[in-house]
Amino acid sequence: MANAKCESCKFFDEHKVNGAAAQNDEGLCRYNPPVSQPGPQDHGLWPVVGSADWCGHYAPELTAAE
Ligand code: SF4
């Protein structure tokens, strides 16, 4: 997957709103539900990934023409 990057994946979310330490080129991977809920009163966390990361679930963002 030579061109696979989280920043161009439809599951990448740069909003960084879940309280995780997403900074700089980091964002959240929304492919799976939140994970690692530390306790019953805590929120689960979305995995933090870098814009240049990728994984086997990579899916390019759809454009308006698609
Ligand atoms: S970790 Fe995989 S599924 Fe998640 S944003 Fe990156 S390439 Fe997409």
Side-chain angles (χ1 to χ4, degrees), residues 1 4-13 27-32 47-60:
M1 290 217 213
K5 287 187 177 180
C6 291
E7 66 181 355
S8 61
C9 176
K10 67 180 181 180
F11 300 110
F12 185 70
D13 179 357
L28 308 177
C29 175
R30 301 263 187 199
Y31 183 84
N32 285 310
V48 177
V49 294
S51 60
D53 284 339
W54 66 280
C55 84
H57 296 303
Y58 172 78

